[in-house]
Amino acid sequence: MMPAPLVSVIIPTYNRADVVGEAINSVLAQTCRDFELIVVDDGSEDGTAAILAHYQDRIRIIRQARRQGVSTSRNTGARQAGGEWLAFLDSDDLWLPRKLEVQLAFIGAHRGVDICQTEEVWLRRGVRVNPGRRHRKRGGSIFLPSLELCLVSPSAVMLRRQVFWQVGGFDETLPACEDYDLWLRLAWRVDVNLIPEPLVVKRGGRPDQLSRQWGLDRFRVQALLKLMGNTDLPEHYRTRVRDTLTAKATIYAQGCARRGKSAEADYYYRLAEWAREAAVNTPSTPFGLTGEEWEPCSSHAHRGRQSQRLEPGGG
């Protein structure tokens, strides 16, 4: 029987036959060899299956019969993982050859590390760009700056599998901003260590990237509501979560109003008002529901379960 690998690498992919092979090759070219590579094909309808077949026994392939989303795909891979550590790679990104080697050396040299990430090289439509100041990564206790925007990249992370599941993995009800949600749930509990060497090539500008779409703040609002409903969250963190929730709900409401979505705008204005007036030491969320039960997304925008009682009502 083969011993378990130290690292399980998970690549979720959907209809990216043009680039997934490059992502796989960048993992197979790692100088560290103590890993397994799991590719989760999320119901692709292009030539992805044929590309994956070329790798035969060098990778593990999990095929989902229908598309279930990147959160489910990552969690599916993590459930099949045998490694102590998990490392994710988006199928349109690349690793440089020493990525795993450097992260494992860092973990070995620093006791008590549960999660670390590396710096990245950003490409937009093949041209290198520099991230803005607000996007620059930080190390250590990053919970508060992460409330504004996501400061952890899935393709750059390595974390303990046990810690990943202790916080519940990726939220499979979120079609977007699932990384923002997960890293917040982790970052108030543990430090996120940063290795300053750029060992990931992050490729942007593709038309199928969710980050290009308007309205993603509604999913960040959902993540913040879950935090508000967590009774273990320290009070000084809860204060900042409440303030951020107020701001993001207001911004989203204003965007809805500009687009003629009056009912949805009114809903988020009321949510912002609730957050503004909520007692810091009260973990309740609107209408007495927990964050896990409350779903702010209208039916045309969310594929998960719906709460009819809290449906914002079209627009």
Side-chain angles (χ1 to χ4, degrees):
M1 184 175 179
M2 295 290 292
L6 184 57
V7 183
S8 294
V9 181
I10 299 165
I11 299 178
T13 189
Y14 172 73
N15 281 357
R16 285 187 170 164
D18 57 329
V19 293
V20 66
E22 297 174 25
I24 291 171
N25 291 339
S26 76
V27 176
L28 297 179
Q30 291 295 298
T31 54
C32 166
R33 307 305 303 167
D34 194 0
F35 69 86
E36 63 175 345
L37 175 53
I38 302 170
V39 180
V40 182
D41 182 359
D42 189 24
S44 294
E45 299 170 338
D46 61 352
T48 294
I51 297 296
L52 299 183
H54 289 307
Y55 294 93
Q56 298 182 5
D57 58 351
R58 288 183 289 170
I59 66 175
R60 293 174 59 191
I61 303 170
I62 300 173
R63 290 191 175 90
Q64 299 182 151
R66 59 181 179 82
R67 189 178 185 187
Q68 300 181 54
V70 67
S71 293
T72 299
S73 297
R74 291 191 185 119
N75 286 349
T76 296
R79 290 187 187 99
Q80 297 297 316
E84 177 184 357
W85 296 89
L86 300 178
F88 300 98
L89 176 60
D90 288 347
S91 57
D92 54 346
D93 293 339
L94 303 171
W95 283 353
L96 298 183
R98 296 177 59 250
K99 196 263 188 184
L100 293 182
E101 176 189 345
V102 170
Q103 285 185 293
L104 288 173
F106 179 89
I107 290 166
H110 298 82
R111 180 175 296 181
V113 171
D114 289 312
I115 178 173
C116 64
Q117 65 172 330
T118 74
E119 280 288 4
E120 303 169 310
V121 174
W122 283 19
L123 298 180
R124 183 174 297 128
R125 290 184 287 274
V127 178
R128 183 165 182 172
V129 296
N130 295 320
R133 178 175 298 180
R134 65 194 296 264
H135 290 94
R136 291 177 186 170
K137 294 182 179 180
R138 311 180 191 189
S141 178
I142 68 167
F143 177 77
L144 291 178
S146 295
L147 288 171
E148 179 59 30
L149 78 167
C150 187
L151 295 176
V152 181
S153 168
S155 293
V157 155
M158 182 182 290
L159 75 161
R160 292 187 190 274
R161 177 162 54 103
Q162 180 182 8
V163 171
F164 176 79
W165 287 121
Q166 281 176 348
V167 299
F170 288 98
D171 185 339
E172 297 182 12
T173 72
L174 291 175
C177 301
E178 76 293 333
D179 49 348
Y180 173 85
D181 170 75
L182 175 62
W183 309 134
L184 284 180
R185 284 186 277 125
L186 277 164
W188 74 263
R189 294 176 168 95
V190 300
D191 285 351
V192 178
N193 297 271
L194 175 62
I195 299 171
E197 186 175 353
L199 295 168
V200 175
V201 179
K202 187 175 181 63
R203 301 194 286 188
R206 292 177 60 93
D208 60 350
Q209 289 178 325
L210 287 174
S211 59
R212 295 167 59 91
Q213 300 176 11
W214 175 82
L216 297 184
D217 261 346
R218 66 189 186 273
F219 304 122
R220 298 186 184 100
V221 164
Q222 186 172 343
L224 294 168
L225 276 165
K226 287 166 59 180
L227 287 172
M228 286 286 286
N230 190 313
T231 57
D232 295 326
L233 187 69
E235 184 174 324
H236 66 289
Y237 282 167
R238 189 182 306 281
T239 302
R240 292 289 296 274
V241 170
R242 181 194 62 182
D243 294 344
T244 306
L245 173 58
T246 301
K248 288 191 181 296
T250 300
I251 291 169
Y252 183 66
Q254 292 169 344
C256 289
R258 287 195 299 270
R259 289 164 173 79
K261 300 176 180 291
S262 57
E264 195 167 0
D266 179 67
Y267 183 80
Y268 281 92
Y269 279 129
R270 289 188 289 115
L271 174 59
E273 186 64 23
W274 170 87
R276 188 177 297 111
E277 297 177 354
V280 171
N281 62 355
T282 301
S284 63
T285 50
F287 307 96
L289 297 180
T290 67
E292 286 77 5
E293 293 168 322
W294 187 82
E295 296 195 26
C297 313
S298 54
S299 59
H300 68 274
H302 197 284
R303 299 177 182 173
R305 66 190 190 279
Q306 294 293 324
S307 171
Q308 297 299 322
R309 180 180 175 191
L310 291 174
E311 186 83 23

